[in-house]
Amino acid sequence: MDKAYNPQTVEEAIYKMWESGGYFSPRKARGKPPFSILLPPPNANADLHVGHAMYVVEDIMIRYHRMKGDPTLWMPGADHAGFETQYVYEKHLAKAGKSRFDFDRETLYKDIWAFVQTNRGTMENQLRRLGFSLDWTRNIFTLDPKIVETVYQSFKQLFDEGLVYRDKRLVNYCTKDGTGFSDLEVLYVQRNDPLYYIKYGPFTIATARPETKFRDTALAVNPKDKRYKQYIGQTLEIMGLLGPIKMTVIPDPHVDPKFGTGIMKVTPAHDPHDFELGRQFNLPVTPIIDFRGKMDFSWFLNPIPGIKAAPIPGIEKYRARAEKYHGKKVAVVRPLMVEDLKADGLMVKIDEAYSHRIGTCWKCGTVIEPLPLEQWYIKVAPLAAEAKKAIETKKVTFVPKRFEKTAKQWLTNFHDWNISRQNVWGIRIPAWRCVDCDKRQETGDRKEHWIVTEGNKPEKCPACAGTDLVQDTDTFDTWFSSGQWPFATLRATGDKEKTADNKEQTAAKEKNDYEYFYPTSVMETGYDILPWWVCRMLMLGIHLTGQVPFQTVYLHGLVRDAQGQKMSKSKGNVINPLKMVDQYGADALRMALVFGTGAGNDQALSEDKIRGMRNFANKLWNIARFIEMSEPAGKDSGNPEDSRNQTKNAEIPLYDETMHKELKNSSDKRIISETNMLVSGVTKDIERYRFSDAAQKIYDFAWHTLADVHLEKNKERFKSGDAQAIAVLHHVFLTILRLLHPFMPFVTEEIWGKLPKKTTDPLIISPWPGNTK
RNA sequence: GGAUCCGUAGCUCAGUUGGUAGAGCGUUGCGUUUACAUCGCAAAUGUCAGAGGUUCGAUCCCUCUCGGAUCCACCA
């Protein structure tokens, strides 16, 4: 054995041995409860970051259960990550001076598909580098036909049940990325903007968005506000930048009399709250900002033919203004309007230090425009109620427990979920409109209707038998498909079982993965995607399968830099997990992430800490070297090559029951009993998801009890060839290797292979230790 | 406005049935011809944010205060 442990030289070979040995695949067996985890599928097109390395927690559970002999499945996968991937690809295109609009839909999709395929392998190999014992024979992708099939079916079922509906309302629209989002993708930031006080007929109103004022359709006051009460119901003519407008005063209890002047202008087309008011009071939805984020005055400049507007005095001035504003971006137009308001004497005052929260695109930072658009929505309330009930009845439990409350809060507050995205990269929504019916709808003949299928284009319209059918161009929100991940994946795998290698396996083979492993045991992921993913899997999973998708949710925290700062490229404090693996070995990184980390809490990760764990791996290595040197045969032979010699191994006295009964030496007795305590302690910790405690116990015992104390104290006995002393040491150390294997799989496996023992099995499938009796 | 988390050794953090405080890294001193300098031995430093309360006893439970962070919410 070399003087120091070199992870670089052994890790790859060991992983290959595990993978080709088939040890990652579950051995289904009757009578044994299975243990299963689905890897949260990383984006197919991106490299892993340290956060992904936290999945080590899953590997710990998986390896532990595998060693316990449970039929254990850890399923890998990749996420097409719809919008995000398209975003990355568009950046890629931009570098080449192109945009997505240079391609037709099919070409763009194909190109992104190719782009993703070339990148996908990188991410998967990185998972291997981290030592993750994933069953690659079941590797799956969110766009695999079987997954897509399930997603279609789910959509159709929800549609048939009335839980999916189509509606035109204000969506969170990013005018730069050209798509709408659900509420969760809107990132609110605190910002300072001027608050304009504008003369509005007899009133003054305060607004941060003067540009929407052209399409105000009402004024709202608090019905309890004595100042304005008498105006409620009145219709007033108000002078604006484009001439007079008629507006009715409506009551709205949400208006805060203390804010601004206590009067709120109502723009149903561009404010979610106003939109709701509009529905209540039957106000028209009249947009003035288009989907590119530009001002649209065509309604003023080109009035609908046939409708004659009353002549407006000063129309020329107004026309010139409208032309000036038309087609320009909001940010450009706002100052122009402010000037014109001042010129007309309508600007009362400007409060420059107005701080408010404003919605931005989570990806590109553009201000989100609420714009009226037809989208597919999921009626969340009934699904959320089922999910909440599952939490309350403990069908699903959370570690740490406090996230139960967070989850329930989310489930209470969700609005209906917009699942339409104006992207190409994704699963296209299987819904068609009948063109003929649409025409009839225009004349008010019939309501619009959609034909939803399980993916196939319908042959004809069930209403009018028309064959001119047009598919919705939108794709599903990525989270709609990943929200079905647990059952979609298990239904897609497992029916191609390898040849059974024992009778039990044959018996269990009849059951496919879904029947066998669903519901999964644990869902382990970062707490930051609790609402996006965990809650949605609960809602969709429970509703569509009648069972919770997983029994326990374990949430880990964010990995931050050594000073506890959030890692970001701009700060330059990003730790690249693969670089750490190259430098210190996967075991060191894994241990560093688990050691001293509380579940659900963010952690600070430093290179020093990783180095410290690398030192621990080396310590283990040297304990092994010491044992090897102390073994009788090793003493006689001066040839280091003999250490791998099986004949020699056979001569080593191995610890067994007989020897245990005959133990006399107090030092030996004590270390054995301490080892037994360690075994039960570590086992208990893992069962209770207290991985940090388990890791610390093993670390402390191996280094400070076994190496520092027992080994030093008994050095003379080992050197003099005391067979019992050596056998005890050997036994204790093998036990440590087994306990530590889930945490540091490579170094333990490597050492395991070098030490004599009764079995020839690799450590990965050797049994979890129990107490020595 | 609501919710959550954190404030423990110089730094980063563990500490779940409440019983005289722990780890990693760092620091100091000593040591080392064969397990390991990616080391060993020894050592130092803590009013466990503050104040009350419950208790025989609180870092741990309750209340409040002060500081730091995060998430949510239709203040135009």
Side-chain angles (χ1 to χ4, degrees):
Chain A
M1 286 173 81
D2 293 337
K3 204 169 173 188
Y5 172 60
N6 278 314
Q8 297 80 2
T9 59
V10 302
E11 289 186 351
E12 199 184 332
I14 290 179
Y15 196 91
K16 271 190 187 149
M17 180 272 284
W18 289 331
E19 190 175 351
S20 61
Y23 303 122
F24 298 157
S25 296
R27 298 166 148 248
K28 290 181 181 177
R30 272 203 181 142
K32 278 185 183 173
F35 184 84
S36 56
I37 298 181
L38 303 170
L39 179 79
N43 289 1
N45 70 306
D47 285 0
L48 298 187
H49 53 76
V50 251
H52 291 113
M54 276 311 289
Y55 296 149
V56 62
V57 170
E58 295 167 38
D59 200 28
I60 290 168
M61 291 186 263
I62 288 291
R63 285 179 184 271
Y64 164 72
H65 280 277
R66 188 183 292 124
M67 289 173 79
K68 268 182 59 183
D70 301 333
T72 304
L73 170 66
W74 193 18
M75 175 132 65
D79 190 355
H80 71 283
F83 165 68
E84 225 179 332
T85 300
Q86 185 171 312
Y87 184 86
V88 171
Y89 187 72
E90 281 187 61
K91 274 188 144 179
H92 199 67
L93 282 180
K95 273 188 197 161
K98 291 185 177 166
S99 95
R100 67 167 145 148
F101 300 107
D102 298 335
F103 305 89
D104 64 58
R105 185 184 185 108
E106 284 68 33
T107 312
L108 188 62
Y109 188 91
K110 262 189 213 158
D111 290 352
I112 301 179
W113 182 276
F115 175 74
V116 167
Q117 288 310 313
T118 34
N119 289 306
R120 184 174 164 192
T122 315
M123 175 276 282
E124 290 170 356
N125 281 323
Q126 289 175 333
L127 293 171
R128 286 184 170 92
R129 292 289 312 280
L130 288 163
F132 291 170
S133 58
L134 292 153
D135 182 4
W136 293 104
T137 66
R138 283 174 163 83
N139 194 15
I140 195 155
F141 182 43
T142 47
L143 294 183
D144 283 349
K146 282 193 171 177
I147 299 287
V148 174
E149 204 176 288
T150 299
V151 172
Y152 285 155
Q153 284 166 3
S154 304
F155 181 70
K156 175 145 174 39
Q157 185 187 330
L158 292 167
F159 178 78
D160 291 343
E161 291 170 336
L163 290 170
V164 155
Y165 63 93
R166 184 141 176 113
D167 193 20
K168 183 173 187 173
R169 63 172 71 159
L170 296 194
V171 303
N172 309 301
Y173 199 88
C174 175
T175 54
K176 181 157 179 269
D177 295 325
T179 182
F181 289 116
S182 75
D183 294 340
L184 292 181
E185 275 98 2
V186 181
L187 191 69
Y188 288 92
V189 292
Q190 200 71 30
R191 226 172 67 169
N192 275 324
D193 282 308
L195 185 65
Y196 304 99
Y197 286 76
I198 299 169
K199 206 164 161 15
Y200 237 64
F203 315 116
T204 299
I205 55 110
T207 181
R209 304 205 59 185
E211 68 276 3
T212 61
K213 144 184 170 62
F214 299 97
R215 310 245 72 181
D216 293 349
T217 52
L219 287 169
V221 298
N222 192 306
K224 284 184 186 156
D225 194 330
K226 283 180 192 144
R227 292 172 296 175
Y228 306 118
K229 220 173 165 178
Q230 72 271 23
Y231 290 103
I232 292 173
Q234 288 186 27
T235 301
L236 308 166
E237 191 170 82
I238 284 161
M239 204 54 187
L241 282 179
L242 300 181
I245 336 165
K246 283 203 168 87
M247 238 176 269
T248 306
V249 181
I250 59 171
D252 176 11
H254 290 280
V255 173
D256 177 3
K258 287 192 238 58
F259 183 90
T261 56
I263 304 179
M264 186 180 84
K265 69 193 202 64
V266 181
T267 322
H270 296 295
D271 181 279
H273 177 69
D274 294 1
F275 185 82
E276 288 308 314
L277 277 180
R279 284 205 164 165
Q280 241 183 79
F281 291 93
N282 227 349
L283 304 171
V285 177
T286 50
I288 193 168
I289 300 167
D290 70 13
F291 288 95
R292 297 164 305 160
K294 291 178 178 171
M295 300 302 293
D296 181 1
F297 281 84
S298 51
W299 54 277
F300 185 82
L301 295 167
N302 317 304
I304 300 164
I307 299 176
K308 266 216 168 131
I312 306 166
I315 183 76
E316 287 316 311
K317 180 173 117 187
Y318 301 139
R319 248 197 111 72
R321 273 180 183 168
E323 276 164 5
K324 182 172 65 175
Y325 306 146
H326 184 68
K328 292 198 172 82
K329 292 239 174 192
V330 171
V332 176
V333 167
R334 197 178 289 170
L336 300 177
M337 287 174 180
V338 169
E339 285 317 303
D340 289 337
L341 283 166
K342 281 180 184 166
D344 284 10
L346 294 172
M347 185 67 81
V348 178
K349 66 168 180 173
I350 303 175
D351 176 3
E352 294 286 350
Y354 172 59
S355 170
H356 64 153
R357 267 160 55 94
I358 189 158
T360 62
C361 171
W362 66 288
K363 195 71 197 173
C364 77
T366 303
V367 173
I368 290 289
E369 287 293 348
L371 295 175
L373 186 63
E374 265 195 31
Q375 306 272 273
W376 291 105
Y377 287 89
I378 291 187
K379 203 182 274 179
V380 169
L383 303 181
E386 291 180 72
K388 252 199 295 190
K389 203 176 145 205
I391 295 174
E392 275 153 12
T393 56
K394 301 282 170 206
K395 291 215 169 61
V396 56
T397 53
F398 286 73
V399 181
K401 206 170 182 302
R402 70 181 130 94
F403 285 111
E404 247 167 54
K405 196 171 176 184
T406 317
K408 281 205 309 206
Q409 221 161 45
W410 274 109
L411 289 165
T412 310
N413 295 328
F414 277 135
H415 296 302
D416 280 359
W417 175 13
N418 168 20
I419 52 169
S420 293
R421 294 292 176 276
Q422 290 71 57
N423 291 326
V424 163
W425 182 241
I427 300 173
R428 192 160 170 185
I429 299 176
W432 281 262
R433 298 181 68 140
C434 169
V435 174
D436 293 339
C437 285
D438 276 358
K439 281 179 194 153
R440 273 189 283 274
Q441 189 206 341
E442 274 167 27
T443 60
D445 206 16
R446 59 173 303 122
K447 269 187 86 179
E448 75 153 21
H449 77 275
W450 287 81
I451 309 149
V452 171
T453 75
E454 293 188 357
N456 296 321
K457 185 178 176 178
E459 284 183 15
K460 57 184 183 189
C461 171
C464 74
T467 52
D468 192 0
L469 305 174
V470 184
Q471 188 177 4
D472 187 357
T473 52
D474 291 348
T475 50
F476 286 121
D477 179 0
T478 285
W479 297 106
F480 179 67
S481 48
S482 45
Q484 303 171 46
W485 197 234
F487 60 90
T489 49
L490 291 172
R491 280 177 181 166
T493 59
D495 51 4
K496 46 176 193 234
E497 280 302 301
K498 283 185 201 156
T499 322
D501 57 357
N502 62 40
K503 279 179 196 164
E504 286 181 69
Q505 182 100 0
T506 318
K509 188 183 153 193
E510 295 147 22
K511 282 188 171 185
N512 68 20
D513 277 354
Y514 177 76
E515 289 163 42
Y516 195 80
F517 289 110
Y518 193 87
T520 59
S521 313
V522 176
M523 170 49 60
E524 197 286 330
T525 189
Y527 68 76
D528 51 329
I529 54 172
L530 176 66
W532 279 265
W533 199 39
V534 179
C535 287
R536 274 137 174 200
M537 280 191 288
L538 276 174
M539 292 193 295
L540 292 174
I542 293 171
H543 182 76
L544 293 167
T545 71
Q547 291 181 77
V548 288
F550 30 74
Q551 290 152 335
T552 301
V553 178
Y554 180 100
L555 296 169
H556 65 249
L558 268 54
V559 182
R560 296 162 175 272
D561 77 0
Q563 279 72 47
Q565 300 293 309
K566 210 167 184 172
M567 289 187 194
S568 72
K569 278 181 196 160
S570 54
K571 279 188 211 156
N573 60 349
V574 175
I575 294 181
N576 177 346
L578 276 300
K579 204 181 138 207
M580 293 300 109
V581 170
D582 285 339
Q583 220 164 329
Y584 303 108
D587 292 329
L589 175 63
R590 293 168 60 114
M591 194 67 169
L593 286 169
V594 174
F595 202 88
T597 309
N601 287 348
D602 293 353
Q603 66 164 307
L605 179 68
S606 63
E607 203 168 326
D608 273 344
K609 192 175 178 188
I610 301 171
R611 202 177 291 124
M613 295 305 146
R614 185 270 317 260
N615 293 352
F616 178 53
N618 192 55
K619 188 75 189 176
L620 294 169
W621 182 259
N622 278 293
I623 296 172
R625 285 183 68 205
F626 179 81
I627 291 173
E628 190 185 49
M629 266 181 198
S630 305
E631 280 155 0
K635 252 181 157 184
D636 299 336
S637 156
N639 183 359
E641 286 306 306
D642 276 3
S643 65
R644 288 191 177 80
N645 188 312
Q646 286 298 313
T647 340
K648 184 207 111 183
N649 289 347
E651 296 167 18
I652 308 295
L654 291 175
Y655 191 79
D656 58 17
E657 228 168 292
T658 326
M659 195 182 288
H660 183 71
K661 280 177 188 151
E662 286 168 3
L663 270 194
K664 291 211 177 69
N665 182 286
S666 64
S667 192
D668 288 346
K669 276 182 171 168
R670 182 194 285 153
I671 198 76
I672 289 288
S673 106
E674 282 178 336
T675 304
N676 287 341
M677 277 167 62
L678 177 74
V679 167
S680 58
V682 168
T683 306
K684 208 185 271 176
D685 284 340
I686 294 180
E687 292 283 354
R688 292 179 184 173
Y689 307 99
R690 305 189 58 77
F691 307 110
S692 171
D693 288 357
Q696 298 216 31
K697 277 193 180 95
I698 307 167
Y699 180 102
D700 185 64
F701 183 80
W703 202 318
H704 303 303
T705 301
L706 184 68
D708 289 354
V709 179
H710 181 80
L711 201 147
E712 292 297 334
K713 202 173 143 196
N714 295 284
K715 222 161 194 171
E716 284 312 311
R717 293 174 63 216
F718 302 129
K719 282 187 179 172
S720 64
D722 181 330
Q724 195 174 77
I726 294 168
V728 167
L729 173 65
H730 183 223
H731 164 77
V732 168
F733 188 58
L734 286 182
T735 305
I736 289 173
L737 290 181
R738 287 193 279 168
L739 293 176
L740 191 59
H741 181 256
F743 301 83
M744 305 181 85
F746 288 113
V747 68
T748 50
E749 184 75 80
E750 176 68 9
I751 294 173
W752 179 264
K754 289 183 181 298
L755 291 178
K757 57 208 165 295
K758 285 170 192 160
T759 171
T760 54
D761 279 344
L763 180 54
I764 186 172
I765 52 155
S766 75
W768 187 253
N771 282 2
T772 312
K773 297 266 159 62

